[in-house]
Amino acid sequence: MLLTPLQCPGWSSNPRMIQLKTSAVPDAPSPSPGGVSHVARRQARPGATGLPFVPGTESNHEARLSSVWDHLEAAGHVCILKDAFDFNSPSEIADLLRAEALDAALALHLYRGGRLLQGHGIPFGIIFGGTDLNEDVNQGEKNQVMGKVLEEARFAVAFTESMKEMARLQWNTESKTDFIGRHLHRSWLSTFLPFHLKTSAGIPHAQGKIYVQSQGIATAPNTAFSWHTFLQRAEIKQSTDNLHVFLLICGLRPVKDPLYLVDAFAEWHQEEPNVYMVIIGPEVDPVFTREVKAKVKRSTGVRLIPEMPQDELHAVVKNSFALVNSSVSEGMSAAILEAMDLEVPVLARDIPGNAAVVKHEVTGLLFSDPQEFVQLAKRLVRDPALEKDIVANGRRYVREHHSWQVERDTYQRLVRTLEGSPEDLG
């Protein structure tokens, strides 16, 4: 993170921050929803020169980054966005830090982004991504690296209390004294503890470092967007009067599992030709993308559309019947929250990240398998009262728990923890 000029008088008049992102495909930075690399788009703005490391530029990460970026720049910070896969060694990171005279850093994803910031002496913060806590923790070496990153970080942001608890359970968050005190008889402490504290490599801890801040949501559909033109592009020739489009927004990679519902949906489409599934997202994994394209091509009632600018994507969501999420793992899906904000019902796979924001039959519908998805989707189509209630509850939930202004206040406050040395922090 970084500090505002007035809050860190010893720093330059334009505090500079590194933000690191990690796309899923090395050597080929993914384009932003607007079709331009995030780096190029941001640096095109006069005076924008700072920097964060983050995984992926699909809609979820893109929305997350764009929001945090705006919060930091609004506080007077100068930021540069870099893709972690652009760097092959720690020395390249060190060269960048020196060349850009950067004061602080922020990484999205504890492993993919955070590991690059270790040992450089630059204060940094972490935003948990989702797969770091849901998947990478199960790999021994990655788990150890992430524990060390968390220990060095000034702060870490989790989107939910459950994510914070997962981190706490993975990497002991108490001090070495407290940890040993709970596991050793008190009579041993006077003789054992001093020796242990001098020789132990240390217990990774993040006492008081992990903050819970849900994603702030703000949507702005393009008012000039043509739904009719979009349907033509998707080769959907049904009349809009009785058309039901189920929209799935995700980067094309296995963890998002965009093919999970395809067979069941194609079968439903054969029964009811007015229902369609439309998948929109960037081609993150080239090999998997070929598999998705081949499968969709063979499946009736399913369409695949390339990524779109954010305002047009919001317009597509607004015109769709429902938003679908079939991911194997999620931190917190921005697409789900944006759909709620746009008053569109949500059907989501029943996984922890989705269940944290979707309460079944209240703010959306949760399914455990493709067959249950079809059953719930049919129910939603045929029950306008259920749709109305879910939409109202979802909108209310986002307004009450995902305030964009609260998110801004949190990140601007956390930025100030990067001032001075760790010992100075209270």
Side-chain angles (χ1 to χ4, degrees):
M1 291 272 198
L2 56 155
L3 309 173
T4 63
L6 294 180
Q7 291 164 332
C8 52
W11 290 24
S12 64
S13 60
N14 292 306
R16 301 163 71 79
M17 167 145 188
I18 175 172
Q19 289 180 283
L20 295 176
K21 71 175 183 177
T22 58
S23 66
V25 186
D27 304 320
S30 303
S32 71
V36 181
S37 75
H38 206 132
V39 176
R41 184 179 67 183
R42 285 301 188 180
Q43 290 181 338
R45 295 171 57 182
T49 52
L51 153 43
F53 287 122
V54 205
T57 50
E58 60 193 82
S59 61
N60 223 22
H61 295 308
E62 191 72 23
R64 199 173 298 170
L65 271 185
S66 180
S67 180
V68 173
W69 185 293
D70 288 340
H71 300 332
L72 297 179
E73 289 201 331
H77 306 305
V78 181
C79 300
I80 297 174
L81 180 66
K82 291 292 184 180
D83 191 323
F85 279 121
D86 288 343
F87 302 92
N88 296 316
S89 67
S91 63
E92 292 183 9
I93 295 291
D95 291 342
L96 175 67
L97 297 178
R98 285 193 297 269
E100 296 288 349
L102 295 164
D103 298 313
L106 175 62
L108 173 56
H109 202 282
L110 186 57
Y111 179 74
R112 290 184 242 169
R115 65 192 173 95
L116 294 170
L117 299 176
Q118 284 182 278
H120 294 294
I122 186 172
F124 67 88
I126 294 291
I127 303 174
F128 292 115
T131 54
D132 43 10
L133 294 179
N134 296 329
E135 297 183 5
D136 292 339
V137 293
N138 299 318
Q139 301 181 40
E141 184 178 348
K142 287 185 177 181
N143 190 306
Q144 291 180 10
V145 170
M146 290 191 291
K148 292 177 181 178
V149 172
L150 190 57
E151 191 169 19
E152 188 174 337
R154 293 283 181 89
F155 66 83
V157 177
F159 297 121
T160 64
E161 289 289 347
S162 62
M163 289 179 71
K164 178 180 179 179
E165 180 65 8
M166 288 172 66
R168 189 191 69 79
L169 292 175
Q170 285 295 331
W171 303 286
N172 197 289
T173 61
E174 59 193 343
S175 69
K176 287 184 282 189
T177 303
D178 290 341
F179 179 85
I180 295 167
R182 288 198 304 107
H183 291 82
L184 295 179
H185 191 278
R186 288 184 180 275
S187 63
W188 298 352
L189 292 179
S190 60
T191 55
F192 177 81
L193 187 56
F195 174 77
H196 180 90
L197 289 179
K198 290 178 182 179
T199 60
S200 171
I203 300 168
H205 63 88
Q207 186 68 31
K209 285 184 181 179
I210 303 179
Y211 300 82
V212 176
Q213 174 56 57
S214 58
Q215 290 188 70
I217 296 299
T219 56
N222 187 330
T223 56
F225 178 79
S226 171
W227 180 238
H228 178 71
T229 300
F230 173 80
L231 293 178
Q232 286 183 321
R233 177 186 176 191
E235 299 182 351
I236 296 176
K237 299 179 174 61
Q238 286 285 329
S239 167
T240 57
D241 294 338
N242 194 34
L243 177 66
H244 295 90
V245 173
F246 291 78
L247 182 66
L248 194 160
I249 301 172
C250 69
L252 302 185
R253 55 190 181 114
V255 72
K256 298 303 179 182
D257 209 3
L259 298 180
Y260 183 63
L261 303 172
V262 168
D263 287 338
F265 201 97
E267 185 176 335
W268 181 25
H269 175 79
Q270 291 178 338
E271 299 173 7
E272 301 181 41
N274 62 323
V275 296
Y276 282 84
M277 171 178 281
V278 176
I279 303 170
I280 299 180
E283 300 179 2
V284 179
D285 182 326
V287 175
F288 185 68
T289 293
R290 289 195 291 272
E291 180 183 341
V292 172
K293 287 182 176 180
K295 180 71 174 180
V296 168
K297 189 174 182 179
R298 300 192 302 267
S299 305
T300 59
V302 183
R303 301 290 188 268
L304 179 62
I305 302 294
E307 58 184 331
M308 305 172 64
Q310 193 73 8
D311 61 340
E312 292 186 11
L313 189 61
H314 286 167
V316 174
V317 175
K318 184 68 176 175
N319 283 278
S320 297
F321 176 73
L323 187 284
V324 178
N325 181 293
S326 59
S327 296
V328 173
S329 171
E330 285 284 0
M332 179 173 286
S333 170
I336 286 179
L337 297 173
E338 288 168 352
M340 290 180 178
D341 190 56
L342 291 167
E343 300 182 315
V344 173
V346 171
L347 293 96
R349 192 168 180 170
D350 193 359
I351 57 174
N354 289 342
V357 295
V358 178
K359 185 175 181 180
H360 187 59
E361 297 186 338
V362 179
T363 58
L365 298 173
L366 294 172
F367 58 87
S368 299
D369 55 56
Q371 291 68 40
E372 185 178 17
F373 164 78
V374 173
Q375 293 171 3
L376 292 172
K378 287 180 177 180
R379 179 184 170 194
L380 191 62
V381 168
R382 296 163 186 168
D383 190 344
L386 175 64
E387 177 191 1
K388 182 178 179 181
D389 288 344
I390 285 176
V391 163
N393 293 334
R395 181 72 181 278
R396 185 180 307 112
Y397 167 78
V398 169
R399 293 299 171 89
E400 292 177 357
H401 300 283
H402 295 274
S403 164
W404 183 84
Q405 185 59 52
V406 170
E407 181 188 61
R408 167 164 289 196
D409 293 342
T410 296
Y411 279 103
Q412 290 183 352
R413 173 174 53 84
L414 288 176
V415 158
R416 296 195 290 272
T417 70
L418 300 182
E419 179 180 5
S421 65
E423 291 76 14
D424 295 333
L425 300 178

